[in-house]
Amino acid sequence: MRVFSGIQPSGNLHLGNYLGAIVKFVSLQEISECIYCVVDLHAITTWQDPDILKSNIRQITAGFIASGINSKEHIIFNQSKVPCHAEMGWILNCVARVGWLNRMTQFKEKAGKNKENASVGLYTYPILMAADILAYNATHVPVGEDQKQHIELARDIAKKFNMDFNKTIIKNGYKNDFFNLPEPLINGPVPRVMSLRDASKKMSSNDPSDLSRINLIDDEDLIQLKIRKAKTDPDSLPSETLGLENRSELRNLIDIYAGLCSSDRDSVLQNFGGIQFSNFKKELTDLIIEKICPIGKEMKKLMNEESAIDKILTDGASRAYEISKPILEETKKIIGF
Ligand code: AQP
């Protein structure tokens, strides 16, 4: 089992990244070799201020470490330091089909009506993501639900490469296709955390309203304010999940509560059924402050130690390179280079 996943340094780390991805990153360390990447090549698919990008790369790295990822036993690095990603990306561009990319819903959502003006990188982003995974021949990819379609594309690309070149290799004494078909690990505390302002949209670092998300570096007062302002309805809490129908804002807050205390919707509703929304918000605020603020404080401390963070990334990149280089070289040989 080899785990690979990444997070874009395109804004503040938020509760969606944490519950959808980072919590799984942390627990997988117990059972697998893990490679966690700050995917800065992905971030520049939309324009980034160079100074802010540099600071965001360090922020994501600090977030990984403050959340409990061990950079000595596992690998943390930033994507642009390992050339295999871009090189593998080009090869896979020539394997993937235009029709496959045209079905990607994230491009349609992000480019919106302005798609003629979107960068080519934003359109081909899922192929670079496939390259990120296949350059390490990773077997498992922990992600939030929004990335499921991209992992399916990575599997299709791996399958087509295996079929086109029909090359088998011996792994652990068995004949295997060259590329593993990576498995998405979607299930986790909360596969999709929604915006606090509009529960029909996912919580995102790109939402213009900072009130729509809890950032891991938010302080107590800000968390209190954001939960107080989170969209609600006038009814009290139901005692069972059936009562959450047509109450998507409440469902989102219940999921966040359940995710943060490793519980589930049913148990949370059994506990809080019948209480006023405002009282539940107080309980939720306390829980977020208890679980998230220590991570945020540690992140801020680490972000002041720039050279230590940079050393972790450089060291991680050289170890990541050692793994991806022979896989890329073998890929090139198979192609006929
Ligand atoms: N709202 C979310 N709920 C659950 N998981 C989420 N992830 C992101 N948002 C949610 C998961 O976090 C990992 C990194 O995602 P990313 O690199 O796309 O990071 P991001 O740019 O911070 O994601 P955003 O904020 O949601 O931005 P946009 O709007 O650009 O997509 C992935 O595993 C993702 O599933």
Side-chain angles (χ1 to χ4, degrees):
M1 191 169 170
R2 177 178 286 158
V3 167
F4 179 94
S5 196
I7 294 194
Q8 294 188 69
S10 53
N12 281 323
L13 267 185
H14 54 77
L15 203 53
N17 300 134
Y18 183 71
L19 290 173
I22 296 177
V23 169
K24 289 184 280 197
F25 293 3
V26 173
S27 63
L28 283 161
Q29 296 182 105
E30 299 296 320
I31 51 167
S32 173
E33 169 194 17
C34 299
I35 305 168
Y36 296 129
C37 186
V38 182
V39 286
D40 47 11
L41 296 178
H42 285 279
I44 60 160
T45 55
T46 54
W47 192 81
Q48 305 292 326
D49 177 292
D51 290 330
I52 297 177
L53 177 62
K54 205 174 280 176
S55 143
N56 282 342
I57 292 170
R58 293 189 178 118
Q59 192 203 118
I60 307 286
T61 311
F64 283 166
I65 296 164
S67 302
I69 294 170
N70 184 328
S71 65
K72 289 204 169 72
E73 284 179 20
H74 301 276
I75 295 179
I76 298 177
F77 74 107
N78 58 317
Q79 193 186 19
S80 60
K81 281 214 168 86
V82 177
C84 304
H85 294 251
E87 233 181 307
M88 184 68 97
W90 179 258
I91 292 171
L92 300 185
N93 265 328
C94 303
V95 176
R97 306 288 93 182
V98 172
W100 298 356
L101 271 191
N102 286 343
R103 287 199 288 275
M104 295 298 112
T105 52
Q106 197 183 70
F107 175 74
K108 289 178 195 157
E109 280 161 23
K110 285 197 172 175
K113 292 197 182 89
N114 207 16
K115 85 172 191 262
E116 296 295 315
N117 251 332
S119 73
V120 176
L122 188 67
Y123 179 64
T124 58
Y125 166 120
I127 300 178
L128 180 60
M129 182 165 157
D132 298 336
I133 300 164
L134 300 183
Y136 298 89
N137 228 335
T139 55
H140 294 81
V141 190
V143 282
E145 201 175 54
D146 58 313
Q147 292 296 335
K148 187 166 176 245
Q149 196 184 31
H150 291 163
I151 309 289
E152 279 160 9
L153 183 87
R155 289 170 63 87
D156 287 343
I157 293 173
K159 241 184 259 174
K160 182 159 166 38
F161 183 97
N162 289 341
M163 262 173 45
D164 286 354
F165 296 99
N166 195 20
K167 166 89 181 160
T168 48
I169 50 168
I170 305 294
K171 274 184 215 161
N172 303 329
Y174 293 96
K175 242 180 168 185
N176 264 296
D177 286 333
F178 179 65
F179 281 130
N180 294 317
L181 303 190
E183 289 286 338
L185 300 174
I186 310 273
N187 288 339
V190 193
R192 191 183 287 256
V193 179
M194 309 311 282
S195 155
L196 300 177
R197 305 297 295 162
D198 173 0
S200 67
K201 295 195 302 191
K202 70 168 188 157
M203 187 177 281
S204 164
S205 54
N206 292 314
D207 194 312
S209 167
D210 193 53
L211 288 176
S212 68
R213 63 184 159 261
I214 302 286
N215 301 306
L216 299 193
I217 53 169
D218 286 348
D219 63 21
E220 280 94 340
D221 290 345
L222 203 48
I223 291 173
Q224 206 161 23
L225 174 81
K226 287 179 176 180
I227 297 298
R228 188 154 44 81
K229 295 241 173 207
K231 215 174 149 200
T232 45
D233 61 52
D235 296 334
S236 56
L237 265 66
S239 315
E240 36 189 69
T241 43
L242 254 182
L244 293 177
E245 236 168 75
N246 301 322
R247 298 182 74 186
S248 45
E249 277 80 23
L250 174 60
R251 190 168 52 231
N252 187 37
L253 297 186
I254 298 283
D255 283 350
I256 292 174
Y257 191 98
L260 283 173
C261 61
S262 310
S263 179
D264 54 49
R265 275 183 198 166
D266 287 319
S267 319
V268 176
L269 291 177
Q270 268 165 27
N271 257 342
F272 294 112
I275 76 164
Q276 286 304 309
F277 218 134
S278 54
N279 291 335
F280 175 66
K281 279 184 164 186
K282 283 193 199 114
E283 300 284 343
L284 179 61
T285 303
D286 289 346
L287 183 66
I288 298 176
I289 289 175
E290 180 197 325
K291 301 281 180 180
I292 297 301
C293 284
I295 298 176
K297 283 179 188 152
E298 181 63 16
M299 280 173 72
K300 285 181 196 156
K301 200 180 107 207
L302 291 167
M303 279 154 68
N304 282 328
E305 298 165 14
E306 289 185 357
S307 56
I309 294 269
D310 293 350
K311 191 172 170 308
I312 287 170
L313 290 173
T314 310
D315 170 60
S318 76
R319 288 190 283 143
Y321 183 64
E322 287 311 310
I323 300 174
S324 55
K325 187 172 150 245
I327 296 172
L328 178 66
E329 274 172 5
E330 190 58 29
T331 308
K332 287 179 175 174
K333 243 193 248 164
I334 292 173
I335 291 172
F337 289 163

mmCIF file of all heavy atoms in Angstrom, residues 90-128:
data_model
loop_
_atom_site.group_PDB
_atom_site.id
_atom_site.type_symbol
_atom_site.label_atom_id
_atom_site.label_comp_id
_atom_site.label_asym_id
_atom_site.label_seq_id
_atom_site.Cartn_x
_atom_site.Cartn_y
_atom_site.Cartn_z
ATOM 1 N N TRP A 90 3.215 15.219 -19.130
ATOM 2 C CA TRP A 90 3.196 15.330 -20.598
ATOM 3 C C TRP A 90 2.902 13.968 -21.242
ATOM 4 O O TRP A 90 2.095 13.853 -22.165
ATOM 5 C CB TRP A 90 4.517 15.895 -21.143
ATOM 6 C CG TRP A 90 4.413 15.961 -22.631
ATOM 7 C CD1 TRP A 90 4.952 15.109 -23.536
ATOM 8 C CD2 TRP A 90 3.597 16.877 -23.370
ATOM 9 N NE1 TRP A 90 4.548 15.435 -24.817
ATOM 10 C CE2 TRP A 90 3.708 16.520 -24.735
ATOM 11 C CE3 TRP A 90 2.775 17.949 -23.016
ATOM 12 C CZ2 TRP A 90 3.031 17.216 -25.748
ATOM 13 C CZ3 TRP A 90 2.116 18.645 -24.020
ATOM 14 C CH2 TRP A 90 2.244 18.276 -25.366
ATOM 15 N N ILE A 91 3.555 12.942 -20.708
ATOM 16 C CA ILE A 91 3.342 11.597 -21.278
ATOM 17 C C ILE A 91 1.855 11.217 -21.172
ATOM 18 O O ILE A 91 1.246 10.738 -22.121
ATOM 19 C CB ILE A 91 4.247 10.566 -20.551
ATOM 20 C CG1 ILE A 91 5.716 10.856 -20.885
ATOM 21 C CG2 ILE A 91 3.870 9.125 -20.937
ATOM 22 C CD1 ILE A 91 6.725 10.062 -20.066
ATOM 23 N N LEU A 92 1.276 11.491 -20.001
ATOM 24 C CA LEU A 92 -0.124 11.103 -19.796
ATOM 25 C C LEU A 92 -1.090 11.982 -20.593
ATOM 26 O O LEU A 92 -2.196 11.551 -20.930
ATOM 27 C CB LEU A 92 -0.469 11.094 -18.306
ATOM 28 C CG LEU A 92 0.368 10.111 -17.455
ATOM 29 C CD1 LEU A 92 -0.140 10.081 -16.017
ATOM 30 C CD2 LEU A 92 0.379 8.695 -18.024
ATOM 31 N N ASN A 93 -0.668 13.215 -20.919
ATOM 32 C CA ASN A 93 -1.468 14.056 -21.834
ATOM 33 C C ASN A 93 -1.701 13.335 -23.144
ATOM 34 O O ASN A 93 -2.710 13.538 -23.818
ATOM 35 C CB ASN A 93 -0.678 15.336 -22.189
ATOM 36 C CG ASN A 93 -1.043 16.496 -21.299
ATOM 37 O OD1 ASN A 93 -2.172 16.610 -20.842
ATOM 38 N ND2 ASN A 93 -0.072 17.358 -21.038
ATOM 39 N N CYS A 94 -0.699 12.534 -23.516
ATOM 40 C CA CYS A 94 -0.780 11.848 -24.809
ATOM 41 C C CYS A 94 -1.520 10.518 -24.695
ATOM 42 O O CYS A 94 -1.786 9.864 -25.711
ATOM 43 C CB CYS A 94 0.628 11.648 -25.376
ATOM 44 S SG CYS A 94 1.487 13.220 -25.528
ATOM 45 N N VAL A 95 -1.874 10.135 -23.482
ATOM 46 C CA VAL A 95 -2.649 8.896 -23.268
ATOM 47 C C VAL A 95 -4.125 9.252 -23.068
ATOM 48 O O VAL A 95 -5.020 8.618 -23.638
ATOM 49 C CB VAL A 95 -2.116 8.125 -22.031
ATOM 50 C CG1 VAL A 95 -2.968 6.898 -21.745
ATOM 51 C CG2 VAL A 95 -0.651 7.743 -22.223
ATOM 52 N N ALA A 96 -4.375 10.322 -22.301
ATOM 53 C CA ALA A 96 -5.771 10.715 -22.001
ATOM 54 C C ALA A 96 -6.460 11.220 -23.270
ATOM 55 O O ALA A 96 -5.794 11.670 -24.210
ATOM 56 C CB ALA A 96 -5.755 11.810 -20.944
ATOM 57 N N ARG A 97 -7.767 11.129 -23.300
ATOM 58 C CA ARG A 97 -8.538 11.567 -24.467
ATOM 59 C C ARG A 97 -9.261 12.883 -24.164
ATOM 60 O O ARG A 97 -9.703 13.103 -23.028
ATOM 61 C CB ARG A 97 -9.593 10.500 -24.846
ATOM 62 C CG ARG A 97 -9.048 9.073 -25.064
ATOM 63 C CD ARG A 97 -8.251 8.930 -26.349
ATOM 64 N NE ARG A 97 -6.820 9.139 -26.146
ATOM 65 C CZ ARG A 97 -5.907 9.105 -27.116
ATOM 66 N NH1 ARG A 97 -6.281 8.854 -28.361
ATOM 67 N NH2 ARG A 97 -4.639 9.316 -26.865
ATOM 68 N N VAL A 98 -9.411 13.702 -25.193
ATOM 69 C CA VAL A 98 -10.072 15.002 -25.008
ATOM 70 C C VAL A 98 -11.493 14.812 -24.467
ATOM 71 O O VAL A 98 -11.946 15.540 -23.585
ATOM 72 C CB VAL A 98 -10.086 15.772 -26.351
ATOM 73 C CG1 VAL A 98 -10.939 17.029 -26.247
ATOM 74 C CG2 VAL A 98 -8.663 16.123 -26.769
ATOM 75 N N GLY A 99 -12.172 13.783 -24.979
ATOM 76 C CA GLY A 99 -13.552 13.523 -24.530
ATOM 77 C C GLY A 99 -13.616 13.262 -23.027
ATOM 78 O O GLY A 99 -14.579 13.639 -22.368
ATOM 79 N N TRP A 100 -12.568 12.615 -22.489
ATOM 80 C CA TRP A 100 -12.559 12.324 -21.047
ATOM 81 C C TRP A 100 -12.488 13.638 -20.252
ATOM 82 O O TRP A 100 -13.182 13.829 -19.264
ATOM 83 C CB TRP A 100 -11.354 11.451 -20.654
ATOM 84 C CG TRP A 100 -11.302 10.100 -21.293
ATOM 85 C CD1 TRP A 100 -12.252 9.552 -22.117
ATOM 86 C CD2 TRP A 100 -10.260 9.131 -21.167
ATOM 87 N NE1 TRP A 100 -11.855 8.300 -22.510
ATOM 88 C CE2 TRP A 100 -10.634 8.013 -21.938
ATOM 89 C CE3 TRP A 100 -9.044 9.096 -20.486
ATOM 90 C CZ2 TRP A 100 -9.840 6.878 -22.033
ATOM 91 C CZ3 TRP A 100 -8.251 7.969 -20.581
ATOM 92 C CH2 TRP A 100 -8.645 6.867 -21.353
ATOM 93 N N LEU A 101 -11.581 14.523 -20.726
ATOM 94 C CA LEU A 101 -11.426 15.804 -20.013
ATOM 95 C C LEU A 101 -12.693 16.654 -20.098
ATOM 96 O O LEU A 101 -13.039 17.360 -19.159
ATOM 97 C CB LEU A 101 -10.280 16.611 -20.631
ATOM 98 C CG LEU A 101 -8.879 16.405 -20.098
ATOM 99 C CD1 LEU A 101 -7.950 17.477 -20.651
ATOM 100 C CD2 LEU A 101 -8.836 16.459 -18.573
ATOM 101 N N ASN A 102 -13.368 16.565 -21.247
ATOM 102 C CA ASN A 102 -14.572 17.385 -21.430
ATOM 103 C C ASN A 102 -15.678 17.021 -20.448
ATOM 104 O O ASN A 102 -16.617 17.773 -20.270
ATOM 105 C CB ASN A 102 -15.098 17.262 -22.872
ATOM 106 C CG ASN A 102 -14.228 18.038 -23.846
ATOM 107 O OD1 ASN A 102 -13.448 18.904 -23.417
ATOM 108 N ND2 ASN A 102 -14.337 17.733 -25.127
ATOM 109 N N ARG A 103 -15.560 15.842 -19.845
ATOM 110 C CA ARG A 103 -16.601 15.441 -18.880
ATOM 111 C C ARG A 103 -16.307 15.911 -17.451
ATOM 112 O O ARG A 103 -17.123 15.737 -16.565
ATOM 113 C CB ARG A 103 -16.730 13.899 -18.882
ATOM 114 C CG ARG A 103 -17.416 13.367 -20.133
ATOM 115 C CD ARG A 103 -17.938 11.961 -19.904
ATOM 116 N NE ARG A 103 -16.863 10.974 -19.840
ATOM 117 C CZ ARG A 103 -16.312 10.392 -20.897
ATOM 118 N NH1 ARG A 103 -16.748 10.680 -22.105
ATOM 119 N NH2 ARG A 103 -15.350 9.509 -20.754
ATOM 120 N N MET A 104 -15.143 16.503 -17.229
ATOM 121 C CA MET A 104 -14.762 16.879 -15.851
ATOM 122 C C MET A 104 -15.608 18.049 -15.351
ATOM 123 O O MET A 104 -15.549 19.153 -15.894
ATOM 124 C CB MET A 104 -13.266 17.254 -15.780
ATOM 125 C CG MET A 104 -12.316 16.110 -16.086
ATOM 126 S SD MET A 104 -12.465 14.754 -14.900
ATOM 127 C CE MET A 104 -13.161 13.474 -15.936
ATOM 128 N N THR A 105 -16.377 17.780 -14.304
ATOM 129 C CA THR A 105 -17.309 18.819 -13.831
ATOM 130 C C THR A 105 -16.577 19.962 -13.126
ATOM 131 O O THR A 105 -17.029 21.089 -13.150
ATOM 132 C CB THR A 105 -18.350 18.215 -12.871
ATOM 133 O OG1 THR A 105 -17.656 17.493 -11.862
ATOM 134 C CG2 THR A 105 -19.299 17.277 -13.582
ATOM 135 N N GLN A 106 -15.419 19.663 -12.492
ATOM 136 C CA GLN A 106 -14.750 20.745 -11.753
ATOM 137 C C GLN A 106 -14.286 21.855 -12.698
ATOM 138 O O GLN A 106 -14.386 23.033 -12.360
ATOM 139 C CB GLN A 106 -13.566 20.216 -10.940
ATOM 140 C CG GLN A 106 -13.158 21.223 -9.890
ATOM 141 C CD GLN A 106 -11.937 20.798 -9.101
ATOM 142 O OE1 GLN A 106 -10.819 20.770 -9.610
ATOM 143 N NE2 GLN A 106 -12.146 20.450 -7.851
ATOM 144 N N PHE A 107 -13.830 21.472 -13.905
ATOM 145 C CA PHE A 107 -13.407 22.505 -14.856
ATOM 146 C C PHE A 107 -14.612 23.378 -15.222
ATOM 147 O O PHE A 107 -14.522 24.601 -15.256
ATOM 148 C CB PHE A 107 -12.794 21.886 -16.119
ATOM 149 C CG PHE A 107 -12.467 22.916 -17.167
ATOM 150 C CD1 PHE A 107 -11.369 23.753 -16.996
ATOM 151 C CD2 PHE A 107 -13.262 23.089 -18.293
ATOM 152 C CE1 PHE A 107 -11.071 24.746 -17.939
ATOM 153 C CE2 PHE A 107 -12.974 24.067 -19.237
ATOM 154 C CZ PHE A 107 -11.871 24.893 -19.056
ATOM 155 N N LYS A 108 -15.750 22.710 -15.478
ATOM 156 C CA LYS A 108 -16.944 23.474 -15.866
ATOM 157 C C LYS A 108 -17.333 24.446 -14.753
ATOM 158 O O LYS A 108 -17.647 25.603 -15.005
ATOM 159 C CB LYS A 108 -18.107 22.522 -16.157
ATOM 160 C CG LYS A 108 -17.910 21.741 -17.447
ATOM 161 C CD LYS A 108 -19.048 20.772 -17.695
ATOM 162 C CE LYS A 108 -18.626 19.787 -18.771
ATOM 163 N NZ LYS A 108 -19.372 18.549 -18.729
ATOM 164 N N GLU A 109 -17.267 23.964 -13.489
ATOM 165 C CA GLU A 109 -17.644 24.829 -12.366
ATOM 166 C C GLU A 109 -16.664 25.990 -12.210
ATOM 167 O O GLU A 109 -17.057 27.126 -12.022
ATOM 168 C CB GLU A 109 -17.635 24.030 -11.054
ATOM 169 C CG GLU A 109 -18.887 23.184 -10.848
ATOM 170 C CD GLU A 109 -18.625 22.087 -9.807
ATOM 171 O OE1 GLU A 109 -17.704 22.235 -8.973
ATOM 172 O OE2 GLU A 109 -19.345 21.088 -9.871
ATOM 173 N N LYS A 110 -15.357 25.668 -12.305
ATOM 174 C CA LYS A 110 -14.350 26.704 -12.047
ATOM 175 C C LYS A 110 -14.244 27.696 -13.196
ATOM 176 O O LYS A 110 -14.055 28.885 -12.974
ATOM 177 C CB LYS A 110 -12.988 26.074 -11.779
ATOM 178 C CG LYS A 110 -12.901 25.464 -10.401
ATOM 179 C CD LYS A 110 -11.466 25.211 -10.000
ATOM 180 C CE LYS A 110 -11.391 24.778 -8.558
ATOM 181 N NZ LYS A 110 -10.056 24.418 -8.147
ATOM 182 N N ALA A 111 -14.328 27.202 -14.432
ATOM 183 C CA ALA A 111 -14.188 28.103 -15.573
ATOM 184 C C ALA A 111 -15.487 28.865 -15.796
ATOM 185 O O ALA A 111 -15.482 30.000 -16.260
ATOM 186 C CB ALA A 111 -13.799 27.308 -16.807
ATOM 187 N N GLY A 112 -16.613 28.249 -15.449
ATOM 188 C CA GLY A 112 -17.923 28.890 -15.587
ATOM 189 C C GLY A 112 -18.167 29.360 -17.005
ATOM 190 O O GLY A 112 -17.802 28.695 -17.982
ATOM 191 N N LYS A 113 -18.752 30.553 -17.117
ATOM 192 C CA LYS A 113 -19.099 31.080 -18.448
ATOM 193 C C LYS A 113 -17.857 31.609 -19.162
ATOM 194 O O LYS A 113 -17.878 31.876 -20.349
ATOM 195 C CB LYS A 113 -20.113 32.226 -18.280
ATOM 196 C CG LYS A 113 -21.476 31.744 -17.783
ATOM 197 C CD LYS A 113 -22.534 32.808 -18.042
ATOM 198 C CE LYS A 113 -23.880 32.360 -17.522
ATOM 199 N NZ LYS A 113 -24.098 32.727 -16.114
ATOM 200 N N ASN A 114 -16.775 31.757 -18.406
ATOM 201 C CA ASN A 114 -15.574 32.383 -18.942
ATOM 202 C C ASN A 114 -14.566 31.353 -19.443
ATOM 203 O O ASN A 114 -13.356 31.590 -19.379
ATOM 204 C CB ASN A 114 -14.965 33.225 -17.807
ATOM 205 C CG ASN A 114 -14.158 34.374 -18.356
ATOM 206 O OD1 ASN A 114 -14.292 34.711 -19.533
ATOM 207 N ND2 ASN A 114 -13.302 34.947 -17.521
ATOM 208 N N LYS A 115 -15.046 30.217 -19.950
ATOM 209 C CA LYS A 115 -14.094 29.124 -20.182
ATOM 210 C C LYS A 115 -13.067 29.416 -21.283
ATOM 211 O O LYS A 115 -11.964 28.910 -21.237
ATOM 212 C CB LYS A 115 -14.824 27.801 -20.348
ATOM 213 C CG LYS A 115 -15.347 27.442 -21.670
ATOM 214 C CD LYS A 115 -15.849 26.007 -21.575
ATOM 215 C CE LYS A 115 -16.158 25.470 -22.893
ATOM 216 N NZ LYS A 115 -17.230 25.331 -23.576
ATOM 217 N N GLU A 116 -13.426 30.274 -22.248
ATOM 218 C CA GLU A 116 -12.447 30.626 -23.292
ATOM 219 C C GLU A 116 -11.230 31.332 -22.690
ATOM 220 O O GLU A 116 -10.155 31.337 -23.265
ATOM 221 C CB GLU A 116 -13.089 31.563 -24.336
ATOM 222 C CG GLU A 116 -14.237 30.933 -25.119
ATOM 223 C CD GLU A 116 -13.786 29.777 -25.977
ATOM 224 O OE1 GLU A 116 -12.760 29.908 -26.656
ATOM 225 O OE2 GLU A 116 -14.457 28.717 -25.961
ATOM 226 N N ASN A 117 -11.438 31.951 -21.551
ATOM 227 C CA ASN A 117 -10.369 32.720 -20.918
ATOM 228 C C ASN A 117 -9.637 31.962 -19.820
ATOM 229 O O ASN A 117 -8.692 32.482 -19.229
ATOM 230 C CB ASN A 117 -10.977 33.973 -20.289
ATOM 231 C CG ASN A 117 -10.575 35.197 -21.069
ATOM 232 O OD1 ASN A 117 -9.512 35.183 -21.691
ATOM 233 N ND2 ASN A 117 -11.409 36.215 -21.047
ATOM 234 N N ALA A 118 -10.105 30.735 -19.515
ATOM 235 C CA ALA A 118 -9.452 29.943 -18.463
ATOM 236 C C ALA A 118 -8.097 29.477 -18.986
ATOM 237 O O ALA A 118 -7.896 29.357 -20.198
ATOM 238 C CB ALA A 118 -10.322 28.739 -18.116
ATOM 239 N N SER A 119 -7.155 29.195 -18.081
ATOM 240 C CA SER A 119 -5.842 28.730 -18.537
ATOM 241 C C SER A 119 -5.971 27.294 -19.056
ATOM 242 O O SER A 119 -6.850 26.538 -18.626
ATOM 243 C CB SER A 119 -4.827 28.777 -17.392
ATOM 244 O OG SER A 119 -5.069 27.744 -16.461
ATOM 245 N N VAL A 120 -5.073 26.950 -19.987
ATOM 246 C CA VAL A 120 -5.055 25.568 -20.496
ATOM 247 C C VAL A 120 -4.734 24.624 -19.329
ATOM 248 O O VAL A 120 -5.242 23.501 -19.252
ATOM 249 C CB VAL A 120 -4.016 25.437 -21.633
ATOM 250 C CG1 VAL A 120 -3.901 24.003 -22.113
ATOM 251 C CG2 VAL A 120 -4.384 26.352 -22.795
ATOM 252 N N GLY A 121 -3.905 25.123 -18.393
ATOM 253 C CA GLY A 121 -3.543 24.320 -17.221
ATOM 254 C C GLY A 121 -4.758 23.924 -16.397
ATOM 255 O O GLY A 121 -4.830 22.807 -15.881
ATOM 256 N N LEU A 122 -5.725 24.841 -16.279
ATOM 257 C CA LEU A 122 -6.925 24.523 -15.488
ATOM 258 C C LEU A 122 -7.689 23.370 -16.154
ATOM 259 O O LEU A 122 -8.237 22.499 -15.486
ATOM 260 C CB LEU A 122 -7.823 25.766 -15.357
ATOM 261 C CG LEU A 122 -9.009 25.622 -14.403
ATOM 262 C CD1 LEU A 122 -8.541 25.472 -12.962
ATOM 263 C CD2 LEU A 122 -9.944 26.834 -14.505
ATOM 264 N N TYR A 123 -7.687 23.378 -17.501
ATOM 265 C CA TYR A 123 -8.384 22.331 -18.251
ATOM 266 C C TYR A 123 -7.671 20.978 -18.109
ATOM 267 O O TYR A 123 -8.298 19.942 -17.898
ATOM 268 C CB TYR A 123 -8.452 22.774 -19.716
ATOM 269 C CG TYR A 123 -9.127 21.789 -20.644
ATOM 270 C CD1 TYR A 123 -10.472 21.466 -20.486
ATOM 271 C CD2 TYR A 123 -8.413 21.202 -21.696
ATOM 272 C CE1 TYR A 123 -11.085 20.571 -21.342
ATOM 273 C CE2 TYR A 123 -9.024 20.315 -22.555
ATOM 274 C CZ TYR A 123 -10.361 19.994 -22.378
ATOM 275 O OH TYR A 123 -10.964 19.096 -23.216
ATOM 276 N N THR A 124 -6.331 20.999 -18.180
ATOM 277 C CA THR A 124 -5.594 19.721 -18.153
ATOM 278 C C THR A 124 -5.171 19.303 -16.729
ATOM 279 O O THR A 124 -4.548 18.258 -16.549
ATOM 280 C CB THR A 124 -4.325 19.776 -19.054
ATOM 281 O OG1 THR A 124 -3.504 20.837 -18.597
ATOM 282 C CG2 THR A 124 -4.665 19.995 -20.502
ATOM 283 N N TYR A 125 -5.550 20.098 -15.749
ATOM 284 C CA TYR A 125 -5.243 19.831 -14.331
ATOM 285 C C TYR A 125 -5.443 18.368 -13.927
ATOM 286 O O TYR A 125 -4.580 17.764 -13.284
ATOM 287 C CB TYR A 125 -6.126 20.801 -13.530
ATOM 288 C CG TYR A 125 -6.320 20.619 -12.055
ATOM 289 C CD1 TYR A 125 -5.928 21.634 -11.171
ATOM 290 C CD2 TYR A 125 -6.946 19.505 -11.515
ATOM 291 C CE1 TYR A 125 -6.140 21.512 -9.816
ATOM 292 C CE2 TYR A 125 -7.150 19.371 -10.158
ATOM 293 C CZ TYR A 125 -6.745 20.376 -9.320
ATOM 294 O OH TYR A 125 -6.953 20.253 -7.977
ATOM 295 N N PRO A 126 -6.572 17.717 -14.307
ATOM 296 C CA PRO A 126 -6.758 16.328 -13.858
ATOM 297 C C PRO A 126 -5.700 15.366 -14.404
ATOM 298 O O PRO A 126 -5.424 14.339 -13.789
ATOM 299 C CB PRO A 126 -8.142 15.951 -14.412
ATOM 300 C CG PRO A 126 -8.819 17.239 -14.730
ATOM 301 C CD PRO A 126 -7.738 18.216 -15.074
ATOM 302 N N ILE A 127 -5.070 15.728 -15.541
ATOM 303 C CA ILE A 127 -4.033 14.837 -16.083
ATOM 304 C C ILE A 127 -2.757 14.979 -15.255
ATOM 305 O O ILE A 127 -2.079 13.996 -14.952
ATOM 306 C CB ILE A 127 -3.771 15.132 -17.574
ATOM 307 C CG1 ILE A 127 -5.075 14.907 -18.347
ATOM 308 C CG2 ILE A 127 -2.648 14.243 -18.119
ATOM 309 C CD1 ILE A 127 -4.998 15.198 -19.806
ATOM 310 N N LEU A 128 -2.464 16.218 -14.837
ATOM 311 C CA LEU A 128 -1.312 16.401 -13.948
ATOM 312 C C LEU A 128 -1.569 15.666 -12.634
ATOM 313 O O LEU A 128 -0.654 15.062 -12.058
ATOM 314 C CB LEU A 128 -1.062 17.899 -13.699
ATOM 315 C CG LEU A 128 0.116 18.234 -12.784
ATOM 316 C CD1 LEU A 128 1.433 17.691 -13.344
ATOM 317 C CD2 LEU A 128 0.229 19.743 -12.561
#
